[in-house]
Amino acid sequence: MLSCLLGLRQPKLDAETRAFFRDACPWGFIVFREACVSREQLRALCADLRDTVGHDAIVWIDQEGGRVARLKAPEWPTWPAAGKFGEIYAKQKDAGLEAAYLGYRLIAHELRDAGLDGDFAPVLDVPVEGSDKIVGDRAFSADPKIVALLARAALNGLHDGSVAGCIKHMPGHGRATADSHLALPKVGAQEIDLANDVLPFTELADAEAAMTAHIVFKAWDPDRPATCSPVVIDEIIRKRIGFQGMLMSDDLDMHALQYALNGGLKERAEAAVGAGCDVVLQCSGVLKEMQTTAAGCRELAGLPLVRARAVEAFAKRPPREFDAGAGWARFKQLMADFAPA
């Protein structure tokens, strides 16, 4: 299996893409809105992906709720952004924790029903005043301790539904004053402030997977974004935060890496894997770009393979017993009870 996770933006595999996936054998996949037409169609697509690569690959999705949701109404329910759970927590702590757990337990229920078993959530970023709005209400709170508590509840909800989670964007995107989809953010904060940003990640360092941030942290490595920085990955993520799970890059297509590195997707993949990422993420769904990315990847072996197997264990175990009807009723009650006056 190659150390990559590739995107799909079509509802059905074409012959060329199927042949590439069969030969390259990526570790996993991520599906986007264009690939999610109906429940029956998505189940068939996920089964086809796994059959093509010949292993029970995890099929991931970005389903945070709020702005970042690939499963859309009317085919699927609508979930609030993570910030809503923080608002409830501010009014009543137990209700906030219950809402966060239930929200992500219900997401897991819907994902499993559609053939999906990995979610790029929860977000652990801590937004600060003056930062770019790309995080905004995707964050649970501006208080790192509350972020950690609610993110733990959310991750537990995914796990109980037999869905692997991925905490993001390590070591913290909340202080960036630019959107890394469009530019290369550079954070000049000092250690005392950055300690605030990494706290939620430290509290959830036992998570099975994490995603890096395409951000330059001048205090740690002024020349390279975290995704491509051996210093940030080894000294901050692995040692200081204590994260020993599978580390994935954010999308290699994002403009941040275009500004940070010379070369194309092959060079970006090589830089990320060389810096210590176990797996790279490339989301365009364009065959030629996926082929170029794969050329910069490695076969999963050694510790990265051990970490991959650990992530698969979260995604492939049976879900805990759950009454989805009762869960939705309780969740809707919580949303109504704590709706703005």
Side-chain angles (χ1 to χ4, degrees):
M1 294 181 293
L2 274 187
S3 59
C4 55
L5 203 157
L6 300 175
L8 200 68
R9 296 177 183 266
Q10 58 195 58
K12 187 176 181 180
L13 288 179
D14 59 74
E16 281 188 303
T17 303
R18 179 181 285 107
F20 165 66
F21 286 159
R22 184 187 62 242
D23 294 341
C25 195
W27 175 69
F29 302 95
I30 176 173
V31 294
F32 286 86
R33 180 70 188 97
E34 303 91 330
C36 304
V37 177
S38 71
R39 295 167 189 268
E40 183 178 358
Q41 166 269 325
L42 188 51
R43 286 187 210 108
L45 177 62
C46 291
D48 196 10
L49 287 168
R50 295 181 177 111
D51 182 65
T52 296
V53 295
H55 67 95
D56 195 10
I58 300 179
V59 183
W60 297 78
I61 195 168
D62 270 321
Q63 193 71 18
E64 299 172 12
R67 287 177 288 148
V68 180
R70 311 308 182 197
L71 302 182
K72 298 284 191 180
E75 185 71 11
W76 285 279
T78 299
W79 287 269
K84 177 62 179 177
F85 305 129
E87 292 173 9
I88 295 174
Y89 184 91
K91 297 174 182 177
Q92 189 178 114
K93 294 179 180 179
D94 288 346
L97 292 169
E98 183 184 3
Y101 171 84
L102 263 181
Y104 284 85
R105 180 62 183 87
L106 289 162
I107 286 176
H109 178 78
E110 294 290 341
L111 297 190
R112 292 292 299 188
D113 179 67
L116 303 161
D117 46 15
D119 192 6
F120 285 124
V123 172
L124 271 65
D125 301 321
V126 183
V128 300
E129 188 174 351
S131 61
D132 188 85
K133 301 300 183 185
I134 187 60
V135 174
D137 65 358
R138 295 170 65 192
F140 289 101
S141 171
D143 183 326
K145 294 180 180 178
I146 295 174
V147 169
L149 290 169
L150 292 172
R152 174 67 71 184
L155 192 60
N156 287 343
L158 291 176
H159 289 171
D160 285 352
S162 192
V163 167
C166 179
I167 59 176
K168 60 186 186 184
H169 305 81
M170 197 177 281
H173 206 301
R175 203 171 290 276
T177 55
D179 178 356
S180 54
H181 292 85
L182 306 174
L184 176 61
K186 297 183 178 181
V187 171
Q190 300 302 307
E191 280 284 350
I192 190 170
D193 296 314
L194 293 174
N196 201 58
D197 302 349
V198 302
L199 188 148
F201 294 101
T202 302
E203 292 296 313
L204 273 75
D206 59 341
E208 63 272 24
M211 180 184 290
T212 61
H214 297 333
I215 297 176
V216 172
F217 295 90
K218 295 180 181 180
W220 297 328
D221 187 339
D223 301 317
R224 293 167 292 194
T227 299
C228 305
S229 170
V231 174
V232 173
I233 290 177
D234 185 52
E235 296 298 325
I236 305 303
I237 293 176
R238 292 302 189 190
K239 293 178 180 176
R240 179 170 171 179
I241 292 175
F243 177 72
Q244 297 304 318
M246 170 170 269
L247 189 65
M248 308 183 196
S249 77
D250 205 342
D251 183 9
L252 298 184
D253 292 313
M254 291 163 65
H255 288 186
L257 293 190
Q258 294 181 23
Y259 293 111
L261 300 171
N262 293 321
L265 287 167
K266 178 177 182 289
E267 288 74 21
R268 293 173 212 165
E270 289 172 340
V273 173
C277 287
D278 298 307
V279 167
V280 296
L281 176 65
Q282 197 270 324
C283 297
S284 72
V286 177
L287 179 58
K288 185 175 181 180
E289 294 175 356
M290 291 191 287
Q291 292 169 331
T292 303
T293 299
C297 294
R298 304 173 181 173
E299 286 291 324
L300 275 175
L303 194 52
L305 181 58
V306 171
R307 292 168 178 155
R309 295 304 188 206
V311 177
E312 291 165 1
F314 281 92
K316 304 304 177 181
R317 61 188 180 182
R320 292 196 176 193
E321 187 175 346
F322 180 63
D323 185 334
W328 272 113
R330 176 58 180 161
F331 185 68
K332 290 176 180 177
Q333 179 187 342
L334 286 165
M335 294 299 104
D337 287 350
F338 293 93

